[in-house]
């Protein structure tokens, strides 16, 4: 039997984490979230109306049904990322945060030096930090040593839909750290999610792959099934790859 995903002392049945941006409208977002089966839903703090003076996506996400994970999307400095985390906590969202410190506007790759500094500061301030990082095993280990509750290496650039560009680095990260590894960014379709889980990742976080699909609700359902299937395949243990054939019905023991 499988064990639940555990992050910061909290357990979750679903290993699919989903975002709330880029949907054509809030009702579609709500239906897609339900179809995904996700329990953790990320919210870009800088892109929502926290004081509810006008309609916000928070009006369409039931906090009794979903665990709201604030993220620091669009933060390009350590100071902005840290400030955004404090703002989310003060607004009553959560002290568990998805930490992003973006280093480049074109690629949206993380500024890993800034990310590490921000992570260390937030951990000292009592936050449960889930950092979006590159697929570097050395940085993943540094983030774990800094006290992060998980590491979230990118599969490919945010929103690119390219899938896992470097599965070998992901495998090394899985061997390097003891905290959960959650693939974040670049997942484009269900097979990408299944590959991440088959590698042994503990979860997958995605937004554009669902929200940008022609049918976001149906894609959310597909991603749900892919994450589940990939996890089961990992636990089952795939057969070894071989250059030559191995007969399904060997000649040994035949009667004629």
């Amino acid at each position: 039997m499988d064990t639940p995903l555990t992050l910061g002392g909290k357990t979750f049945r679903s290993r699919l984490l989903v975002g709330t941006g880029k949907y054509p409208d809030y009702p579609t977002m709500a239906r897609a979230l339900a179809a995904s089966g996700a329990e953790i839903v990320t919210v870009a703090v800088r892109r929502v109306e926290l004081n509810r003076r006008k309609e916000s996506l928070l009006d369409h996400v039931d906090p009794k049904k979903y665990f709201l994970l604030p993220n620091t999307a669009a933060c390009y400095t350590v100071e902005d990322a840290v400030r955004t985390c404090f703002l989310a906590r003060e607004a009553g969202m959560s002290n568990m945060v998805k930490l992003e410190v973006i280093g480049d506007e074109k690629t949206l790759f993380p500024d890993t030096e800034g990310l590490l500094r921000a992570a260390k500061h937030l951990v000292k301030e009592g936050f449960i930090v889930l950092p979006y990082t590159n697929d570097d095993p050395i940085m993943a280990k540094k983030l774990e040593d800094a006290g992060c509750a998980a590491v979230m290496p990118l599969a490919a650039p945010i929103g690119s839909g390219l899938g896992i560009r470097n599965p070998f680095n992901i495998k090394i990260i899985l061997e390097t750290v003891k905290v959960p590894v959650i693939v974040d960014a670049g997942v484009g379709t269900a097979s990408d999610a299944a590959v991440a889980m088959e590698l042994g990742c503990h979860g997958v976080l995605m937004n554009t792959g669902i929200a940008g699909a022609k049918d976001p609700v149906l894609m959310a359902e597909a991603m749900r099934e892919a994450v589940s299937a990939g996890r089961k395949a990992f636990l089952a243990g795939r057969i070894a790859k071989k250059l030559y054939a191995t007969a399904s019905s060997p000649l040994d023991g035949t009667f004629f």
Side-chain angles (χ1 to χ4, degrees):
M1 293 185 63
D2 198 4
T3 56
L5 173 64
T6 301
L7 298 170
K10 298 180 182 294
T11 58
F12 303 92
R13 296 182 304 278
S14 174
R15 294 177 179 272
L16 174 59
L17 295 71
V18 294
T20 50
K22 300 184 179 180
Y23 285 94
D25 50 61
Y26 290 141
T28 300
M29 178 196 73
R31 293 196 301 274
L33 296 185
S36 74
E39 296 169 273
I40 301 176
V41 174
T42 67
V43 177
V45 178
R46 302 189 75 181
R47 295 185 177 128
V48 297
E49 185 73 32
L50 293 177
N51 56 23
R52 308 293 185 91
R53 289 178 298 185
K54 59 181 180 180
E55 186 182 22
S56 163
L57 69 86
L58 295 177
D59 297 317
H60 299 268
V61 181
D62 185 356
K64 295 180 180 179
K65 182 177 180 181
Y66 301 106
F67 180 86
L68 300 183
L69 178 66
N71 73 51
T72 61
C75 289
Y76 287 82
T77 68
V78 172
E79 293 74 21
D80 280 349
V82 169
R83 187 183 307 114
T84 300
C85 289
F86 275 95
L87 179 62
R89 187 162 72 176
E90 291 168 5
M93 292 183 68
S94 175
N95 71 328
M96 186 185 295
V97 294
K98 181 196 170 189
L99 178 62
E100 299 182 26
V101 181
I102 303 301
D104 176 70
E105 190 172 352
K106 182 178 181 179
T107 64
L108 299 181
F109 284 149
D111 171 2
T112 53
E113 292 181 356
L115 177 70
L116 185 59
R117 293 203 311 274
K120 289 179 178 179
H121 180 76
L122 290 168
V123 168
K124 289 180 180 178
E125 294 292 337
F127 285 89
I128 299 168
V129 180
L130 312 179
Y132 158 70
T133 184
N134 58 13
D135 57 359
D136 176 10
I138 305 302
M139 180 53 63
K141 181 59 178 172
K142 289 181 178 180
L143 290 165
E144 179 187 42
D145 291 343
C148 293
V151 292
M152 306 179 74
L154 55 83
I158 292 173
S160 67
L162 290 172
I164 299 179
R165 297 293 83 195
N166 196 339
F168 304 104
N169 271 27
I170 299 296
K171 290 188 72 172
I172 295 172
I173 290 173
L174 286 161
E175 295 175 359
T176 302
V177 302
K178 294 182 174 61
V179 295
V181 176
I182 300 173
V183 161
D184 179 16
V187 172
T189 191
S191 57
D192 299 333
V195 167
M197 298 306 295
E198 288 172 5
L199 287 172
C201 293
H202 302 84
V204 181
L205 191 154
M206 65 186 72
N207 186 177
T208 308
I210 294 176
K214 292 182 180 179
D215 186 335
V217 178
L218 186 59
M219 183 61 80
E221 185 177 340
M223 293 297 192
R224 175 182 186 172
E225 294 173 356
V227 168
S228 176
R231 178 65 178 176
K232 290 176 181 177
F234 169 73
L235 294 173
R238 65 157 292 140
I239 63 171
K241 295 182 179 180
K242 300 177 182 178
L243 182 60
Y244 298 104
T246 301
S248 298
S249 301
L251 295 176
D252 295 345
T254 55
F255 296 99
F256 58 88

